[in-house]
């Protein structure tokens, strides 16, 4: 089923502000608003959803969006409670992402791909999971021989790749074509639902190619440098690496 709302974040991660019309307001434990288009990312794949504002120009009212999520295929915006109630269906609203947060997530997410790419290329270790906040994240690998020395080497290698100014490309491929790419589905457990017909891929050109639904920067130079802030054993084979973005000088 084609969603009623255009989901801009998947095609243009840099779109932060857009005008939209309210399609539906769902009142429950919280108020959810569905728009005919949005720049919000609904969360998923370890990347938290966006936050931001909806603004109604006709009377200047604003609503704080504390998060977004998928609801029957639509991106639903969860509003902070407002004493004057939610916007109405057919209202025209300005949609504004909290951009500093989103950009930090895009940089962090791209850094995690670079980490993934280096660990796969240099050690053949599969990813088993990951999670992020703006500016920091972690990835879990099947990586039996990981050690402190190796982690220092990995940090240096990731920073070399980020500094190489590699382009980051988004593509949408038919399922068969995507599955024909060796190593594309690099997660240990393939979480892609049966019946999905198109696969979105993110490529750090020359380093990493993954099936992925998140938002990323367009070139690794925008990430800057990373620091490995810790590593842990989650068992004999499963290891966790934590990173954060280094603040630019
Ligand atoms: Zn990603």
């Amino acid at each position: 089923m084609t969603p009623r709302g255009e989901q801009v974040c998947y095609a243009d991660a840099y779109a932060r502000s857009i005008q939209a019309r309210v399609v539906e307001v769902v009142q429950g434990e919280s108020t959810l608003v569905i728009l005919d288009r949005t720049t919000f990312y609904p969360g998923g794949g370890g990347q938290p959803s966006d936050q931001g504002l909806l603004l109604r120009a006709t009377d200047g009212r604003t609503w704080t969006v504390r998060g977004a999520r998928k609801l029957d295929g639509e991106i639903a915006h969860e509003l902070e409670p407002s004493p004057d109630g939610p916007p109405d269906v057919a209202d025209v609203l300005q949609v504004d992402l909290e951009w500093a947060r989103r950009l930090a997530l895009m940089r962090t997410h791209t850094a995690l791909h670079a980490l993934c790419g280096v660990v796969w290329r240099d050690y053949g270790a599969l990813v088993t999971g990951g999670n992020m906040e703006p500016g920091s994240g972690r990835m879990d690998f099947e990586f039996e021989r990981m050690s402190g020395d190796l982690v220092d080497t990995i940090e240096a290698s990731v920073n070399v790749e980020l500094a190489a100014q590699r382009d980051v490309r988004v593509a949408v491929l038919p399922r068969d074509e995507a599955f024909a790419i060796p190593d594309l589905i690099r997660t240990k457990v393939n979480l892609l639902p049966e019946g999905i017909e198109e696969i979105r891929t993110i490529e750090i050109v020359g380093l990493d190619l993954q099936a992925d639904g998140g938002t990323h920067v367009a070139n690794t130079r925008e990430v800057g440098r990373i620091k490995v802030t810790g590593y842990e054993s989650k068992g004999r084979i499963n290891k966790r690496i934590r990173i954060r973005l280094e603040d630019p000088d």
Side-chain angles (χ1 to χ4, degrees):
M1 195 180 72
T2 308
R4 290 166 291 170
E6 185 191 347
Q7 304 181 350
V8 175
C9 65
Y10 300 115
D12 181 5
Y14 289 86
R16 54 207 266 191
S17 185
I18 201 169
Q19 210 169 64
R21 192 175 291 272
V22 177
V23 170
E24 189 181 353
V25 178
V26 183
Q27 293 278 24
E29 256 174 56
S30 58
T31 302
L32 300 173
V33 172
I34 295 164
L35 304 168
D36 69 350
R37 65 179 69 89
T38 186
T39 50
F40 274 71
Y41 178 66
Q47 181 181 337
S49 81
D50 289 321
Q51 298 170 357
L53 278 182
L54 302 179
L55 168 78
R56 186 166 65 194
T58 50
D59 61 358
R61 274 195 67 194
T62 60
W63 292 267
T64 300
V65 182
R66 60 183 174 198
R69 61 180 132 109
K70 279 280 176 85
L71 180 71
D72 299 329
E74 305 286 348
I75 295 174
H77 306 73
E78 184 180 345
L79 304 188
E80 293 280 3
S82 164
D84 298 321
D88 297 314
V89 169
D91 279 358
V92 173
L93 304 176
Q94 187 69 28
V95 181
D96 279 319
L97 293 186
E98 193 187 322
W99 181 246
R101 173 187 153 84
R102 158 64 94 76
L103 184 59
L105 285 166
M106 285 161 53
R107 292 171 61 219
T108 307
H109 197 150
T110 308
L112 289 171
H113 281 242
L115 173 65
C116 240
V118 163
V119 169
W120 173 253
R121 180 194 67 192
D122 296 350
Y123 308 99
L126 289 167
V127 174
T128 57
N131 212 347
M132 75 199 81
E133 294 296 322
S136 66
R138 63 159 172 86
M139 295 230 85
D140 297 339
F141 297 95
E142 281 198 341
F143 197 175
E144 192 168 1
R145 61 199 181 92
M146 195 181 73
S147 67
D149 286 349
L150 267 190
V151 163
D152 289 345
T153 306
I154 290 167
E155 178 188 288
S157 300
V158 170
N159 282 325
V160 165
E161 296 302 330
L162 294 174
Q165 308 200 8
R166 295 186 180 278
D167 282 334
V168 182
R169 292 186 188 149
V170 184
V172 177
L173 303 177
R175 182 189 180 92
D176 293 351
E177 203 176 307
F179 274 78
I181 300 171
D183 307 325
L184 177 63
I185 313 299
R186 191 98 45 75
T187 48
K188 172 74 174 163
V189 181
N190 181 354
L191 297 171
L192 293 172
E194 283 295 316
I196 204 166
E197 280 164 21
E198 290 188 318
I199 310 279
R200 184 169 177 270
T201 62
I202 304 296
E203 179 179 21
I204 299 180
V205 176
L207 178 66
D208 185 66
L209 177 62
Q210 294 184 38
D212 189 289
T215 64
H216 311 76
V217 292
N219 188 285
T220 57
R221 83 169 79 86
E222 294 178 60
V223 178
R225 294 173 57 83
I226 61 126
K227 183 92 198 146
V228 171
T229 54
Y231 69 98
E232 297 149 43
S233 275
K234 311 298 286 181
R236 186 172 61 83
I237 292 172
N238 291 304
K239 313 290 158 137
R240 174 168 292 175
I241 299 178
R242 294 178 187 281
I243 64 165
R244 68 171 164 75
L245 302 182
E246 285 204 318
D247 293 329
D249 298 325

